[in-house]
Amino acid sequence: MSFRSEKKEFMTFQAYEKIDFKQPIKDKEFTVMVNPESFSKSINVHYKKEECMANSISAGRFSGMDAVDYSFSLLLDGTGIISQKPEYKDVKAQLNALTEVLFAKTGESTGYRPNYVSITYCDESLHCVVSSLKTEYSLFRPDGTPLRAKVTCSFKSVCQIETGEIDGEALNKRREREKGAFDSFKDTISQAMDEKADSLFNLFGR
């Protein structure tokens, strides 16, 4: 993963309707004020334990991998020292804008669910869902209004799904395979029923 770029770019979050990441949700985009100081990526690999001979070492047999985990912290500032842009004057508004990109209302008892989110940073585009979000406020106005916050985010990668249409030839071949499998299954059941009937006749007499 490389975050090098010839020009200054800021990390951007874009929400999507589906896991194929082809339909961005309108007005559900958030650009950070300051890029994260650090970025963490971790991959968990699983192995099945295996017995081994004495004085030998075995990591076990590979059994699978978890989704890639990404984590980093974002700075939200409302003091005006970092940026004078209107959208960055209110820390609560910034946090709400980020939250609305990461989560969607469901109307169910749980209330919200994670959106599919594309995180763009320089030459990288990560397809993820949020796994945790922690906010720490560190500076306040006299009336208690927060002026600065640190948002620690964690995300899990998701796989894209190809949604291309099946061409006619491929569809016909699939139908032939399905028909062949059904005919074979039908013949097997018919033969089994005949054998069962013969055994019953032999038992009770014809």
Coordinates of all heavy atoms in Angstrom, one line a residue, residues 42-105:
S42 N -3.9 -4.4 9.4 CA -3.6 -5.7 10.0 C -4.4 -6.8 9.4 O -5.5 -6.6 9.0 CB -3.8 -5.7 11.5 OG -5.2 -5.4 11.8
I43 N -3.8 -8.0 9.3 CA -4.4 -9.1 8.7 C -4.2 -10.3 9.6 O -3.1 -10.6 10.1 CB -3.7 -9.5 7.3 CG1 -3.8 -8.3 6.4 CG2 -4.4 -10.7 6.7 CD1 -3.1 -8.5 5.1
N44 N -5.3 -10.9 10.0 CA -5.2 -12.1 10.9 C -5.3 -13.4 10.1 O -6.3 -13.6 9.3 CB -6.4 -12.1 11.9 CG -6.2 -10.9 12.9 OD1 -5.1 -10.6 13.3 ND2 -7.3 -10.3 13.3
V45 N -4.4 -14.3 10.3 CA -4.3 -15.5 9.6 C -4.6 -16.7 10.6 O -4.0 -16.7 11.7 CB -2.9 -15.7 8.9 CG1 -2.9 -17.1 8.1 CG2 -2.6 -14.6 8.0
H46 N -5.4 -17.6 10.2 CA -5.7 -18.7 11.1 C -5.1 -20.1 10.6 O -5.1 -20.3 9.4 CB -7.3 -18.9 11.2 CG -8.0 -17.7 11.7 ND1 -8.0 -17.4 13.0 CD2 -8.6 -16.7 11.0 CE1 -8.7 -16.2 13.2 NE2 -9.1 -15.8 12.0
Y47 N -4.7 -20.9 11.6 CA -4.1 -22.2 11.3 C -4.8 -23.2 12.2 O -5.1 -22.9 13.4 CB -2.6 -22.2 11.6 CG -1.8 -21.2 10.7 CD1 -1.5 -19.9 11.1 CD2 -1.3 -21.7 9.5 CE1 -0.8 -19.1 10.3 CE2 -0.5 -20.9 8.7 CZ -0.3 -19.5 9.1 OH 0.4 -18.7 8.2
K48 N -5.0 -24.4 11.7 CA -5.5 -25.5 12.5 C -4.3 -26.2 13.2 O -3.3 -26.5 12.6 CB -6.2 -26.5 11.6 CG -7.5 -26.0 11.0 CD -8.2 -27.1 10.1 CE -9.5 -26.6 9.6 NZ -10.1 -27.6 8.7
K49 N -4.5 -26.4 14.5 CA -3.5 -27.0 15.3 C -3.3 -28.5 14.8 O -4.2 -29.2 14.6 CB -3.8 -27.0 16.7 CG -3.8 -25.6 17.3 CD -4.1 -25.6 18.8 CE -4.1 -24.2 19.4 NZ -4.4 -24.2 20.8
E50 N -2.0 -28.9 14.7 CA -1.7 -30.2 14.3 C -0.7 -30.8 15.3 O 0.2 -30.1 15.8 CB -1.1 -30.3 12.9 CG -2.2 -29.9 11.9 CD -1.6 -29.9 10.5 OE1 -0.3 -30.0 10.4 OE2 -2.3 -30.0 9.5
E51 N -0.8 -32.1 15.6 CA 0.1 -32.8 16.4 C 1.4 -33.0 15.7 O 1.4 -33.2 14.5 CB -0.4 -34.1 16.9 CG -1.6 -34.0 17.8 CD -2.1 -35.3 18.3 OE1 -1.4 -36.3 18.0 OE2 -3.0 -35.4 19.1
C52 N 2.5 -32.8 16.3 CA 3.8 -33.0 15.7 C 4.8 -33.7 16.6 O 4.5 -33.9 17.8 CB 4.4 -31.6 15.3 SG 4.6 -30.5 16.7
M53 N 5.8 -34.3 16.0 CA 6.8 -35.1 16.8 C 7.6 -34.2 17.8 O 7.6 -33.0 17.6 CB 7.7 -35.8 15.8 CG 7.1 -36.7 14.9 SD 8.2 -37.5 13.7 CE 9.2 -38.4 14.9
A54 N 8.1 -34.8 18.8 CA 8.9 -34.1 19.8 C 10.1 -33.3 19.1 O 10.6 -33.8 18.1 CB 9.5 -35.1 20.8
N55 N 10.4 -32.2 19.7 CA 11.5 -31.3 19.2 C 11.3 -30.8 17.8 O 12.2 -30.4 17.1 CB 12.8 -32.1 19.2 CG 13.2 -32.6 20.6 OD1 12.9 -31.9 21.6 ND2 13.8 -33.8 20.7
S56 N 10.0 -30.7 17.4 CA 9.7 -30.1 16.1 C 8.7 -29.0 16.3 O 7.9 -29.1 17.2 CB 9.2 -31.2 15.1 OG 7.9 -31.7 15.6
I57 N 8.7 -28.1 15.4 CA 7.8 -26.9 15.5 C 6.9 -26.9 14.3 O 7.4 -27.0 13.2 CB 8.6 -25.6 15.6 CG1 9.5 -25.7 16.9 CG2 7.7 -24.4 15.7 CD1 10.4 -24.5 17.0
S58 N 5.6 -26.7 14.5 CA 4.7 -26.6 13.4 C 3.7 -25.4 13.7 O 3.2 -25.3 14.8 CB 3.9 -27.9 13.2 OG 2.9 -27.7 12.3
A59 N 3.5 -24.6 12.6 CA 2.5 -23.5 12.8 C 1.1 -24.0 12.6 O 0.2 -23.3 12.9 CB 2.8 -22.4 11.7
G60 N 1.0 -25.2 12.1 CA -0.3 -25.8 11.8 C -0.7 -25.6 10.4 O 0.0 -25.0 9.6
R61 N -1.8 -26.1 10.0 CA -2.3 -26.1 8.6 C -3.1 -24.8 8.4 O -4.0 -24.5 9.2 CB -3.1 -27.3 8.3 CG -3.5 -27.4 6.8 CD -4.2 -28.7 6.5 NE -5.2 -29.0 7.5 CZ -6.0 -30.1 7.4 NH1 -5.7 -31.0 6.5 NH2 -7.0 -30.3 8.3
F62 N -2.9 -24.1 7.3 CA -3.6 -22.9 7.0 C -5.1 -23.2 6.9 O -5.5 -24.1 6.2 CB -3.1 -22.2 5.7 CG -3.9 -21.1 5.2 CD1 -3.8 -19.8 5.8 CD2 -4.7 -21.2 4.1 CE1 -4.6 -18.8 5.4 CE2 -5.5 -20.2 3.7 CZ -5.4 -18.9 4.3
S63 N -5.9 -22.3 7.6 CA -7.4 -22.6 7.5 C -8.2 -21.4 7.0 O -9.4 -21.5 6.8 CB -7.9 -23.0 8.9 OG -7.7 -22.0 9.8
G64 N -7.6 -20.2 6.9 CA -8.3 -19.1 6.4 C -7.8 -17.7 6.9 O -6.8 -17.7 7.8
M65 N -8.3 -16.7 6.4 CA -7.9 -15.3 6.8 C -9.1 -14.5 7.1 O -10.2 -14.6 6.5 CB -7.1 -14.7 5.7 CG -5.8 -15.4 5.4 SD -5.0 -14.8 3.9 CE -4.7 -13.1 4.4
D66 N -9.0 -13.5 8.0 CA -10.1 -12.6 8.3 C -10.0 -11.4 7.3 O -9.0 -11.3 6.6 CB -9.9 -12.0 9.7 CG -10.2 -13.1 10.8 OD1 -10.9 -14.1 10.5 OD2 -9.7 -12.9 11.9
A67 N -11.0 -10.6 7.4 CA -11.0 -9.4 6.6 C -9.8 -8.5 7.1 O -9.4 -8.5 8.2 CB -12.3 -8.6 6.7
V68 N -9.3 -7.7 6.2 CA -8.2 -6.7 6.5 C -8.8 -5.6 7.4 O -9.9 -5.1 7.2 CB -7.6 -6.1 5.3 CG1 -6.5 -5.1 5.7 CG2 -7.1 -7.2 4.3
D69 N -8.1 -5.3 8.5 CA -8.5 -4.3 9.4 C -7.7 -3.0 9.2 O -6.4 -3.1 9.1 CB -8.3 -4.8 10.9 CG -9.3 -5.8 11.3 OD1 -10.5 -5.7 11.0 OD2 -8.8 -6.8 11.9
Y70 N -8.3 -1.9 9.1 CA -7.7 -0.6 9.0 C -8.0 0.2 10.2 O -9.2 0.2 10.6 CB -8.1 0.1 7.7 CG -7.9 -0.6 6.4 CD1 -9.0 -1.2 5.8 CD2 -6.6 -0.8 5.9 CE1 -8.8 -2.0 4.6 CE2 -6.5 -1.5 4.7 CZ -7.5 -2.1 4.1 OH -7.4 -2.8 2.9
S71 N -7.1 1.0 10.7 CA -7.4 1.9 11.9 C -6.5 3.1 11.8 O -5.4 3.1 11.4 CB -7.2 1.2 13.2 OG -5.9 0.7 13.3
F72 N -7.1 4.2 12.2 CA -6.4 5.5 12.2 C -7.3 6.5 13.0 O -8.4 6.2 13.4 CB -6.2 6.1 10.8 CG -7.4 6.0 9.9 CD1 -8.3 7.1 9.9 CD2 -7.7 4.9 9.1 CE1 -9.5 7.0 9.1 CE2 -8.8 4.9 8.3 CZ -9.7 5.9 8.3
S73 N -6.7 7.7 13.3 CA -7.4 8.7 14.0 C -7.5 10.0 13.2 O -6.6 10.3 12.5 CB -6.7 9.0 15.4 OG -6.7 7.9 16.2
L74 N -8.6 10.7 13.4 CA -8.9 11.9 12.7 C -9.0 13.0 13.7 O -9.6 12.9 14.8 CB -10.2 11.8 11.8 CG -10.3 10.7 10.8 CD1 -11.7 10.6 10.2 CD2 -9.2 10.8 9.7
L75 N -8.6 14.2 13.3 CA -8.7 15.4 14.1 C -9.8 16.3 13.6 O -9.8 16.7 12.4 CB -7.4 16.2 14.1 CG -7.4 17.5 14.8 CD1 -7.7 17.3 16.3 CD2 -6.1 18.3 14.6
L76 N -10.8 16.6 14.4 CA -11.8 17.6 14.1 C -11.6 18.8 14.9 O -11.5 18.8 16.2 CB -13.2 17.0 14.5 CG -13.5 15.6 13.9 CD1 -15.0 15.2 14.3 CD2 -13.4 15.6 12.3
D77 N -11.5 20.0 14.3 CA -11.1 21.2 14.9 C -12.1 22.3 14.6 O -12.4 22.5 13.4 CB -9.7 21.6 14.6 CG -9.2 22.9 15.3 OD1 -8.7 22.7 16.4 OD2 -9.4 24.0 14.8
G78 N -12.6 23.0 15.6 CA -13.5 24.1 15.4 C -13.0 25.4 15.9 O -13.8 26.4 16.0
T79 N -11.7 25.5 16.2 CA -11.1 26.7 16.7 C -10.9 27.8 15.6 O -10.7 29.0 15.9 CB -9.8 26.5 17.4 OG1 -8.9 25.9 16.4 CG2 -10.0 25.5 18.5
G80 N -10.8 27.3 14.3 CA -10.5 28.2 13.2 C -9.0 28.3 13.0 O -8.5 29.0 12.1
I81 N -8.2 27.7 13.8 CA -6.7 27.8 13.7 C -6.2 27.0 12.5 O -5.4 27.5 11.7 CB -6.0 27.3 15.0 CG1 -6.4 28.2 16.2 CG2 -4.5 27.2 14.8 CD1 -5.9 27.7 17.5
I82 N -6.8 25.8 12.3 CA -6.4 25.0 11.2 C -7.0 25.3 9.9 O -6.4 25.4 8.8 CB -6.6 23.5 11.5 CG1 -5.9 23.1 12.8 CG2 -6.3 22.6 10.4 CD1 -6.1 21.7 13.2
S83 N -8.3 25.6 9.9 CA -9.0 26.0 8.7 C -10.1 27.0 9.0 O -10.8 26.9 10.0 CB -9.7 24.7 8.1 OG -10.4 25.0 6.9
Q84 N -10.3 27.9 8.1 CA -11.4 28.9 8.2 C -12.6 28.6 7.4 O -13.6 29.4 7.4 CB -10.8 30.3 7.7 CG -9.7 30.8 8.6 CD -10.2 31.3 9.9 OE1 -11.3 31.6 10.1 NE2 -9.2 31.3 10.9
K85 N -12.6 27.4 6.8 CA -13.8 27.0 5.9 C -15.0 26.9 6.8 O -15.0 26.3 7.9 CB -13.5 25.7 5.2 CG -12.4 25.8 4.1 CD -12.3 24.5 3.4 CE -11.2 24.7 2.3 NZ -11.0 23.4 1.6
P86 N -16.2 27.3 6.3 CA -17.4 27.3 7.1 C -17.8 25.9 7.6 O -18.3 25.7 8.7 CB -18.5 27.8 6.2 CG -17.7 28.6 5.2 CD -16.4 28.0 5.0
E87 N -17.5 24.9 6.8 CA -17.9 23.5 7.2 C -17.1 22.9 8.3 O -17.4 21.9 8.9 CB -17.8 22.5 6.0 CG -16.4 22.4 5.4 CD -16.2 23.4 4.2 OE1 -16.8 24.5 4.2 OE2 -15.4 23.0 3.3
Y88 N -16.0 23.6 8.7 CA -15.1 23.2 9.7 C -15.2 24.0 11.0 O -14.4 23.8 11.9 CB -13.7 23.1 9.3 CG -13.4 22.1 8.2 CD1 -12.6 22.5 7.1 CD2 -13.9 20.8 8.2 CE1 -12.4 21.6 6.1 CE2 -13.6 19.9 7.2 CZ -12.9 20.3 6.1 OH -12.6 19.4 5.1
K89 N -16.2 24.9 11.1 CA -16.4 25.7 12.3 C -17.0 25.0 13.5 O -16.8 25.4 14.6 CB -17.2 27.0 11.9 CG -16.4 28.0 11.0 CD -17.3 29.2 10.8 CE -16.5 30.3 10.0 NZ -17.3 31.5 9.8
D90 N -17.8 24.0 13.2 CA -18.6 23.3 14.2 C -18.1 21.9 14.3 O -18.3 21.1 13.4 CB -20.1 23.4 13.9 CG -20.9 22.9 15.1 OD1 -20.5 22.1 15.8 OD2 -22.1 23.5 15.2
V91 N -17.5 21.5 15.5 CA -17.1 20.1 15.6 C -18.2 19.1 15.6 O -18.1 18.1 15.0 CB -16.3 20.0 16.9 CG1 -16.0 18.5 17.3 CG2 -15.0 20.8 16.8
K92 N -19.3 19.5 16.3 CA -20.5 18.6 16.3 C -21.0 18.3 14.9 O -21.4 17.2 14.5 CB -21.6 19.1 17.2 CG -21.3 19.0 18.7 CD -22.5 19.4 19.5 CE -22.3 19.2 20.9 NZ -23.5 19.6 21.7
A93 N -21.0 19.4 14.1 CA -21.5 19.3 12.7 C -20.6 18.4 11.9 O -21.0 17.5 11.0 CB -21.6 20.6 12.0
Q94 N -19.3 18.5 12.1 CA -18.3 17.6 11.4 C -18.5 16.2 11.8 O -18.5 15.3 10.9 CB -16.9 18.1 11.8 CG -16.5 19.4 11.3 CD -15.0 19.7 11.7 OE1 -14.1 19.0 11.4 NE2 -14.9 20.8 12.4
L95 N -18.7 15.9 13.1 CA -18.9 14.6 13.5 C -20.2 14.0 13.0 O -20.2 12.8 12.6 CB -18.9 14.5 15.1 CG -19.0 13.2 15.7 CD1 -17.8 12.3 15.3 CD2 -19.0 13.3 17.2
N96 N -21.2 14.8 13.0 CA -22.5 14.3 12.4 C -22.4 14.0 10.9 O -22.9 13.0 10.5 CB -23.6 15.4 12.6 CG -24.0 15.5 14.1 OD1 -23.9 14.5 14.9 ND2 -24.6 16.6 14.4
A97 N -21.7 14.8 10.2 CA -21.5 14.6 8.8 C -20.7 13.3 8.5 O -21.1 12.5 7.6 CB -20.7 15.8 8.1
L98 N -19.7 13.0 9.3 CA -18.9 11.8 9.2 C -19.8 10.6 9.6 O -19.8 9.6 8.9 CB -17.7 11.8 10.1 CG -16.9 10.6 10.2 CD1 -16.3 10.2 8.8 CD2 -15.7 10.7 11.2
T99 N -20.6 10.7 10.6 CA -21.4 9.6 11.1 C -22.5 9.2 10.1 O -22.8 8.1 9.8 CB -22.1 9.9 12.4 OG1 -21.1 10.3 13.4 CG2 -22.9 8.8 13.0
E100 N -23.0 10.2 9.4 CA -24.1 10.0 8.4 C -23.5 9.3 7.2 O -24.2 8.7 6.4 CB -24.7 11.3 8.0 CG -25.6 11.9 9.1 CD -26.3 13.2 8.7 OE1 -26.0 13.7 7.6 OE2 -27.0 13.8 9.5
V101 N -22.2 9.5 6.9 CA -21.6 8.8 5.8 C -21.3 7.3 6.2 O -21.5 6.4 5.4 CB -20.3 9.4 5.4 CG1 -19.5 8.6 4.4 CG2 -20.5 10.8 4.8
L102 N -20.9 7.1 7.4 CA -20.5 5.7 7.9 C -21.7 4.9 8.2 O -21.7 3.6 8.1 CB -19.6 5.8 9.1 CG -18.3 6.6 8.9 CD1 -17.5 6.5 10.2 CD2 -17.5 6.1 7.7
F103 N -22.9 5.5 8.6 CA -24.0 4.7 9.1 C -25.3 5.2 8.3 O -25.4 6.4 7.9 CB -24.3 4.9 10.6 CG -23.1 4.4 11.4 CD1 -22.1 5.2 11.8 CD2 -23.1 3.1 11.8 CE1 -21.1 4.8 12.6 CE2 -22.1 2.6 12.6 CZ -21.1 3.4 13.0
A104 N -26.3 4.3 8.2 CA -27.5 4.6 7.6 C -28.7 4.2 8.5 O -28.6 3.2 9.2 CB -27.7 3.8 6.3
K105 N -29.7 5.0 8.5 CA -30.9 4.6 9.3 C -31.7 3.5 8.7 O -31.8 3.4 7.5 CB -31.8 5.9 9.5 CG -31.3 7.0 10.3 CD -32.3 8.1 10.4 CE -31.7 9.3 11.2 NZ -32.6 10.4 11.4

